[in-house]
Amino acid sequence: MNLDLTPLDPADRSAVDDVFELRTLVHRADTPQLPAPCFADFGGSLMVPPPATRVEEWAGRDASGRCAASVRLEFPQEENTEAVTAAVLAVHPALRRQGAGRRLVEFVRERAEAAQRSRILFTADSGPAGPDGGPGTAPAHHLAAAVGARPAWTLDHLRLDVARAPLPQPLPEAMSVRYWGSEVPEDLVEQAARLEAALSAAAPTGDPGWEPQPAAISRIRDFERMRITRGRRAHQCAILDDATGRMAAWTALSMTRANPDNALQAITIVDPAHRGRGLGRQVKAHNLARARAAESELAHVDTWNASGNAHMLRVNADFGFVPAGTRWAWELSTAR
């Protein structure tokens, strides 16, 4: 199949609408178990990139002018600078098995080579189980096999029915809880960056060749700006050590405008000095109770953990999360 791939102009509302419609069709065909695409989230993603990342958005049209494909490429600028992630590699469901996927992979290779990147990563989600009871497969498995990509890592998708979540319990003595929304308070942001640094250094990524993101106040503020531009809202909570004023634990939930029944369980960190006291469970329970009080339609929470991160999988299972699917990642070299 011939595809005319051109950069997506965020100011071209007609083109943006076409790509969003395509991504919605792909979502319905491939990942109906996940929250539906949100137009505000999509539009904001065209305006503000993730921290320290250069983004390219491309739309592919077939000979009739129909929007047939969508590509989003993310180029890390500070770490993992040999890599490019194809965050979106989508083909219209009615036009598959006609060579469009291979054409997109070749296009991504060309863009990676132009940026002097040697490593291409792309991901896809599948449902909770296949016919044999094992992990389900995603349509991208066929493409990965066809182009010779190797499996890189997997994440376990977990889902929580909020009605079954544990209730918050009294905190340990000399500790207090503090809540906020989408932006970390100025007097806590340095503490948040410190905890992010501890998480980045210790948490398994699922890929031993992937460098963790360095933590810094600027990264936190850039991420917040991206989230707000995308129309997302956050509910965040910290447990503070009253004696020192230090943040002992921190967690965040994030929501899109289009899915008031769903939240993403984002960061949860416990200071290494306070681990083993159940503060991770406590901070999540307090934050979820607060979010439920503010979000009357909230029904479930999604999260993803590296399949090899046995500790976090146990922690989340204890909290009430159950398996809901798998996120797969493949790696492809730019070498022919």
Side-chain angles (χ1 to χ4, degrees):
M1 172 185 288
N2 291 324
L3 284 174
D4 179 23
L5 286 152
T6 58
L8 179 60
D9 180 0
D12 185 341
R13 181 57 187 264
S14 177
V16 170
D17 286 347
D18 286 348
V19 171
F20 182 74
E21 181 180 359
L22 169 69
R23 292 197 188 177
T24 300
L25 289 172
V26 170
H27 162 80
R28 290 172 182 165
D30 297 345
T31 55
Q33 77 277 8
L34 297 181
C38 171
F39 187 80
D41 188 44
F42 171 59
S45 75
L46 303 178
M47 304 299 295
V48 179
T53 303
R54 180 175 67 84
V55 172
E56 294 182 3
E57 288 275 0
W58 298 81
R61 296 188 179 273
D62 63 14
S64 71
R66 170 173 46 179
C67 185
S70 173
V71 177
R72 179 181 173 93
L73 302 179
E74 298 181 350
F75 298 83
Q77 299 296 289
E78 294 180 3
E79 68 281 351
N80 300 300
T81 54
E82 82 290 353
V84 56
T85 298
V88 176
L89 201 65
V91 176
H92 194 296
L95 301 175
R96 293 174 179 173
R97 304 302 177 91
Q98 299 179 44
R102 286 175 178 265
R103 169 72 181 96
L104 294 186
V105 170
E106 279 305 303
F107 175 77
V108 172
R109 269 197 169 121
E110 293 166 6
R111 297 306 304 162
E113 289 172 343
Q116 299 183 323
R117 305 287 169 124
S118 61
R119 188 181 186 196
I120 300 166
L121 294 172
F122 62 98
T123 64
D125 284 274
S126 66
D132 61 354
T137 59
H141 274 84
H142 302 291
L143 179 61
V147 300
R150 72 167 186 86
W153 43 261
T154 60
L155 301 177
D156 287 8
H157 173 203
L158 308 173
R159 176 163 286 178
L160 172 71
D161 177 349
V162 301
R164 299 179 180 273
L167 296 175
Q169 300 299 315
L171 295 175
E173 187 177 353
M175 287 196 161
S176 57
V177 65
R178 184 167 169 186
Y179 302 96
W180 63 88
S182 295
E183 297 176 281
V184 180
E186 191 62 33
D187 64 310
L188 291 180
V189 70
E190 185 175 348
Q191 292 286 324
R194 177 181 62 83
L195 289 188
E196 270 202 341
L199 180 67
S200 296
T205 64
D207 181 352
W210 192 254
E211 300 168 3
Q213 174 181 303
I217 292 173
S218 60
R219 287 284 186 109
I220 290 175
R221 294 307 190 205
D222 287 347
F223 183 84
E224 290 171 345
R225 184 167 64 92
M226 179 193 72
R227 178 164 55 202
I228 292 168
T229 301
R230 294 175 71 155
R232 296 184 182 185
R233 60 192 181 280
H235 297 276
Q236 304 189 64
C237 172
I239 294 175
L240 304 180
D241 181 337
D242 293 338
T244 64
R246 288 167 67 90
M247 192 185 288
W250 169 33
T251 194
L253 293 169
S254 179
M255 302 180 68
T256 66
R257 292 180 186 174
N259 297 284
D261 62 331
N262 176 267
L264 168 66
Q265 175 63 65
I267 197 166
T268 300
I269 317 174
V270 177
D271 187 316
H274 289 279
R275 288 175 185 167
R277 306 175 65 186
L279 295 186
R281 178 187 177 96
Q282 278 282 62
V283 75
K284 286 203 290 190
H286 280 272
N287 195 46
L288 181 58
R290 178 83 167 213
R292 291 184 68 187
E295 307 280 354
S296 61
E297 297 179 60
L298 181 59
H300 45 81
V301 176
D302 287 321
T303 195
W304 280 260
N305 292 133
S307 299
N309 192 347
H311 172 70
M312 277 310 304
L313 291 172
R314 285 195 302 269
V315 168
N316 280 325
D318 179 62
F319 198 79
F321 283 89
V322 297
T326 304
R327 178 164 294 167
W328 309 82
W330 296 270
E331 180 177 335
L332 190 64
S333 171
T334 55
R336 306 289 172 172

